[in-house]
Amino acid sequence: NTVHQLTGSGRGVLGDRKTFEVDHKYGKYYLKGTSRGGGIKTYNAYHVIYESQLPGTMVSSKTNYFLDGAAVDAHAYAEKVYDYFKNVHGRNSYDGNGAPVISSVHVGRNWNNAAWIGTQMVYGDGDGIVFRPLSGALDVVGHELTHAITEKTANLEYHNESGALNESISDIFGAMVDSGDWLLGEDVYTPKQSGDAFRSMSNPTQYDQPDHYSRYVRLPDTPDGDYGGVHINSGINNKAAYLLAEGGTHYGVNVTGIGRAKTAKIYYRALTLYLTSRSTFADMRQAAIKAATDLYGSASQEVQSVKNAYSAVGVY
Ligand SMILES: CCC(=O)Oc1c(C)cccc1C(=O)O
Ligand SMILES: [Ca+2]
Ligand SMILES: [Zn+2]
């Protein structure tokens, strides 16, 4: 559909200039694009106290230049993540049916978090020590929007092994969209410390995550236990995905890498066709084997590498 796209620009959280689609109404410009699915809209939740008041106020500007870096990045990165799933996986928004993508920035007070709350994405500003505004990282935006896709597909329950898979799937696609590395959150984590990240898929133990099933961390299925350690135990599946893409030898098991693109196709197919709400790590292994078999054949290197990647992290 030939939509007349208006282009806005601004500087993101890191001061980098970027452009994005905007709308123009009653003499003002808005962070609202209509050319992608049901639209991409970005709001300022600065005065919001209660969740019921979300999304807040749609971000506007007198000109088509926007000064709010957190809003610029939330909007521009939502476009990039939408385009990734549409162009690479043929998926039209997180529900596959063009659902509008809504984001709110400046949520909470110095909030060191980002989330998908079932209807929209929300980003804190961080406290300037642990995080800078969290929409400033493309892999964070990819991670959050993937939570929405997971909810609409496998709907992996957010606790214990299915919860760790939920987290890992979001890290996998966060890394695939932010295609330069296997780190998560490096652009917004610890602004005063360079060279570190929130998580590493290539080396989970660098940030105290397990990289083998024998090191699975048993935590209580409570908020204080991070619902059975969903953010720590994701390291096991993250390592498997990294090995599948890049190859390597892990705990004596050799894996022949098949590359990022094929790895992404296998996980997308596993997520949308074979994983279910209570899938375990063992189910993940079988789902990835099935997806790789569909895509590349049972005797393919890709299938063999999936088996070896999961054996390398102790998942059978
Ligand atoms: C990589 C993005 C990420 O992990 O966001 C979260 C943060 C920063 C804190 C708590 C939860 C999450 C999440 O989305 O799981
Ligand atoms: Ca990254
Ligand atoms: Zn998450």
Side-chain angles (χ1 to χ4, degrees), residues 11 56 81 114 128-129 135 146 150 162 170 188 216 227 264 277 286:
R11 292 185 180 282
V81 176
I129 307 295
S135 58
T146 301
T150 295
S162 55
S170 274
V188 294
Y216 188 95
Y227 305 102
S277 59
Q286 293 312 318

Side-chain angles (χ1 to χ4, degrees), residues 22 45 59 69-70 73 78-79 82 111 159 192 248 279 305 312:
V22 298
V59 177
D73 277 343
E79 288 183 350
Y82 175 95
W111 197 46
H159 63 151
K192 299 183 191 311
S279 290
S305 288

Side-chain angles (χ1 to χ4, degrees), residues 34-57:
T34 54
S35 68
R36 292 176 172 85
I40 297 187
K41 300 176 232 181
T42 303
Y43 295 77
N44 185 344
Y46 183 63
H47 292 293
V48 166
I49 308 288
Y50 306 106
E51 200 167 313
S52 60
Q53 297 172 305
L54 285 172
T57 310

Side-chain angles (χ1 to χ4, degrees), residues 182 200 262 276:
W182 292 100
S200 167
K262 289 179 177 176
T276 63

Side-chain angles (χ1 to χ4, degrees), residues 42-246:
T42 303
Y43 295 77
N44 185 344
Y46 183 63
H47 292 293
V48 166
I49 308 288
Y50 306 106
E51 200 167 313
S52 60
Q53 297 172 305
L54 285 172
T57 310
M58 189 179 280
V59 177
S60 67
S61 172
K62 276 199 284 305
T63 71
N64 65 347
Y65 187 79
F66 288 76
L67 295 169
D68 182 338
V72 160
D73 277 343
H75 198 67
Y77 289 156
E79 288 183 350
K80 279 182 78 95
V81 176
Y82 175 95
D83 290 346
Y84 168 79
F85 282 105
K86 184 76 166 53
N87 300 336
V88 177
H89 301 292
R91 188 181 190 87
N92 179 10
S93 195
Y94 58 88
D95 67 344
N97 196 26
V101 175
I102 312 291
S103 304
S104 294
V105 294
H106 308 307
V107 173
R109 189 183 179 290
N110 297 340
W111 197 46
N112 286 315
N113 270 262
W116 169 259
I117 60 171
T119 53
Q120 65 164 99
M121 288 181 281
V122 291
Y123 300 98
D125 286 331
D127 59 8
I129 307 295
V130 180
F131 283 109
R132 50 166 66 98
L134 282 96
S135 58
L138 174 57
D139 53 22
V140 169
V141 177
H143 178 108
E144 300 315 335
L145 199 54
T146 301
H147 275 311
I149 296 174
T150 295
E151 194 178 287
K152 292 287 182 185
T153 54
N155 195 21
L156 287 156
E157 288 181 9
Y158 205 63
H159 63 151
N160 304 325
E161 290 197 12
S162 55
L165 289 177
N166 185 314
E167 268 304 302
S168 175
I169 292 290
S170 274
D171 278 355
I172 289 165
F173 288 106
M176 291 300 177
V177 181
D178 183 32
S179 58
D181 55 63
W182 292 100
L183 301 172
L184 273 300
E186 69 279 2
D187 291 345
V188 294
Y189 190 60
T190 58
K192 299 183 191 311
Q193 165 73 35
S194 66
D196 63 348
F198 192 33
R199 289 190 286 273
S200 167
M201 298 178 67
S202 50
N203 186 11
T205 60
Q206 186 171 2
Y207 302 109
D208 306 320
Q209 289 185 280
D211 62 2
H212 194 275
Y213 195 58
S214 62
R215 296 272 194 287
Y216 188 95
V217 178
R218 299 284 162 195
L219 285 170
D221 181 6
T222 62
D224 288 354
D226 196 25
Y227 305 102
V230 300
H231 289 95
I232 188 168
N233 292 306
S234 56
I236 296 160
N237 198 61
N238 283 359
K239 182 73 183 190
Y242 163 77
L243 286 168
L244 180 58
E246 305 291 352

